[in-house]
Amino acid sequence: MTRMSATRGLCMRTMMELDQSCSVLREYGSEQSLLSKPDGSSTFVQGDTSILAGVYGPAEVKVSKEIYDRATVEVLIQPKMGLPGVRERAREQCVRETCEAALLLTLHPRSSVTVVLQVIHDDGSLLSCCLNAACMALMDAGLPMSHLFCGVTCAISKEGQIIIDPTARQEKECRALLTFAIDSAECNVLISSTTGSFSVQELQQCIAISQKASEQIFQFYRDSVKRRYSKIQ
Amino acid sequence: MDTIHACFKEKIGEVLLPGDVFSFRLPESGDGSIKSEKIICGPGLRRNGEEVRVCKSGILRHKQPNMYWIDSQQRRYVPAKGESVIGIVTTKSGDVFKVDVGGSEQASLSYLAFEGATKRNRPNVQVGDLVYGQFTIANKDMEPELVCIDSCGRANGMGVFGADGLLFKVSLGLVRRLLAPQSEIIKDLEKIFPFELVVGMNGRVWVKAKTVQQTLIVTNLLETSENMTSQQRQTLFKRVAEGSL
Amino acid sequence: MGVVLNYGINSYISIVVLYFQSHRNTYADVVITKHIITAGKEQAAPQSAGWETALAPLTGAEDARVTSLRHCSLHAALPNIMAAGFKTAEPLEYHRSFLKENCRPDGRELGEFRPTTLNISSISTADGSALVKIGNTTVICGIKAELTMPPSDAPNKGYIVPNVDLPPLCSSRFRPGPPGEQAQSASQFIADVIESSDLINLEELCIEKSKLCWVLYCDIMCLDYDGNLLDACIIALLAALRNAQLPEATINKETDLAEVDIQKKRHLKINRHPVGSSFAVFDDSIIIVDPTAEEESLSTALLTVVTDEEDRLCAVHKPGGTSLSGEKLQHCINRAITRNKEISKLVDKVFESMKTAK
């Protein structure tokens, strides 16, 4: 498995002078087409958090779930231990709605697209890692998409410092945790899922930082796919 | 001639991702005449008003004079009209066979769509048989329909086949390479030993050689040649040819 | 009103808009007939021409005016039937035509909430309860307090367990059986809001460290689903918690059992008052507040912003859909802050009236 480390030393200064925060993404890596049965598969690793994604589609759909003019998207998140619970359902809803906005579903009516995400290891930023893995798997499956998306998590510590891509320990100690999904076409916010309380300025700062970080992640997608196709040439 | 083709030309052979956009600004020509350019966008490119968007990840390819498409690797087949595929008969209901072609829906095949079939003279097709047919109707809104005759009413190689032999699945990219007019893989394979080969555009390949061992060797060679460069493939085939003789 | 009667399908829509807007003025017949009566005047000429050709193409202009006067009572009902047909066949176009005029099918402005009513102490068997109606959406919340042992990783804290239930009663889209995805994700959202906003000090729920604590089961049930579920759930939860009264509980030192004194009851101390506002995005650009169930199903994205009384954000929940730019998000947050003040006033008023009633 080939790894690609994030460009280190990319220190981003925030807009306000009050909070001097150094936000660096953890080392990330990904691989596509590693499973033989699903139509598309990928794995995405951010630091120690690792997610494996598989996509089946466009496939047959049950008559009770079929929609006459678009494809039905289903997302299943399997936690590392135990059965999926209420928390996984909330995450599944976020990932599903993002995929529905990015895919061109009207091209495959009365069919289903199933995305299965398996948590291999959870060390913080779980939802954003799920989003990144899902995007790479959808690209690998060759489903038509109108734009790409990526996930970025920000944590606001008790002192007001903004940390990007927090580890599990940083998440526990922080005052607020914000996860955003950013699209590649206009760098706008697709999903926002927050816990903890924060001010409006802190929200705007986090969005700006996430948009900057998303550019890095999209560049990484591009390099990843280039590497994969270079073998075929 | 220049603006649109120039936009595309600089990206030919490059890997593009969904969301990449080709937008055209028509130059203001002094004499007020507007030259109309026509380009054909193939799979992976969609027109969105004034711009062309990439909707699948892959390499941009070009064919003279004005055809552009994205060459992407995919495993799932989406039925398209005119393509020849290998299907497996799943049910016989009345006058129609239901055939599994690997898409999101099963295709229907009428019993009259075989050479020499009439209402009295029904074709000998059982559940589980392999059929090689062409799509007459295949769009996203309707159930796909297969036929095993061409427009003149002759079989032309289509119909039921496959007594003995082995059916296996490969990716769509490999199938396209096998069906290309001067396919290197086929040429290299022919040198090893003789065999029968049926290639369906839905990623299914059927192989039959003289012995079971030879059949399995061909199957393995085809499956592995997907991820190899041509150098590696030729060395591998040479080794196998020497080993089998 | 300022709606111009155009030709073709738009003419029916314009009539419908007139009809609904005029309903609010309760001078429906007068308003519609006014346009007929002024058919002879110069400025109304184009309108009347359209009206006449639409209804009486064969007769001459003079007779058309007379016949149109006679037909006006019949045709006051006709737009209603035509509008219902259009709404079923092309719901998105139907809504778009209203949004173009900056209003909505039920007559509200884009930034207007539906009338909100609140009723507390409706369930006598629960320790606290509240019933909230936002337009047609009805949500009831009941709080039951039970005694249990504190969690091992936080021995000085109690529990709050919210549960949102969407029974088949409230809408045909919910089937009987285990809770579906919407109910589960709403439960998770409410749990996150309780934690993020520090609604109640969980240490207050602890009676004796590592031995006894209260667990508050908050059951939120939707009785009628017409959009904007999350806002109603938050208001109901907040009002029910304010209304809840817990009896005194102590541990008998000799028997080591819990003893509850039902006579002495005290209210819970609420630290913050979070209030939510939901928005729906249409066609990537138009934002409407407090969507009904139809508007939710036609929208391209949904957003819920929860603020507390200090204008801090407790949750910005946008579970997907099309993207939203920064200024639109800021606009929504400002609207949410004003809504917070409105709802706080409402809740305070209800509690004041309860006190004076006693």
Side-chain angles (χ1 to χ4, degrees), chain B residues 106-148:
Chain B
Q106 297 202 331
S108 70
L109 172 62
S110 162
Y111 76 94
L112 289 172
F114 289 88
E115 184 174 4
T118 59
K119 286 217 177 100
R120 297 256 184 97
N121 180 17
R122 284 170 180 255
N124 184 15
V125 178
Q126 305 304 325
V127 172
D129 278 352
L130 294 175
V131 281
Y132 186 72
Q134 247 184 353
F135 280 112
T136 46
I137 296 182
N139 56 45
K140 64 185 169 84
D141 299 308
M142 294 167 62
E143 186 193 29
E145 279 183 26
L146 275 176
V147 287
C148 288

Side-chain angles (χ1 to χ4, degrees), chain C residues 64-106:
Chain C
R65 242 176 281 146
V66 171
T67 45
S68 58
L69 268 172
R70 266 192 282 125
H71 287 157
C72 77
S73 51
L74 170 67
H75 290 295
L78 191 58
N80 210 0
I81 304 168
M82 288 195 277
F86 187 54
K87 184 175 169 188
T88 319
E90 288 277 339
L92 197 54
E93 283 301 322
Y94 179 76
H95 278 86
R96 270 198 200 128
S97 51
F98 280 97
L99 289 173
K100 252 190 280 184
E101 315 285 343
N102 265 348
C103 72
R104 289 144 85 171
D106 50 4

Side-chain angles (χ1 to χ4, degrees), chain B residues 33 35-36 40 53 60 63 68 73 89 94 101 107 117 119 163 169 173 175 183 196 210 244:
Chain B
S33 66
K35 293 181 240 172
S36 62
I40 302 180
R53 238 167 205 237
L60 183 65
K63 183 171 157 190
Y68 297 93
Q73 275 189 334
V89 178
V101 288
K119 286 217 177 100
K169 202 160 161 14
V175 152
S183 171
E196 269 180 71
K210 263 197 234 138
S244 67

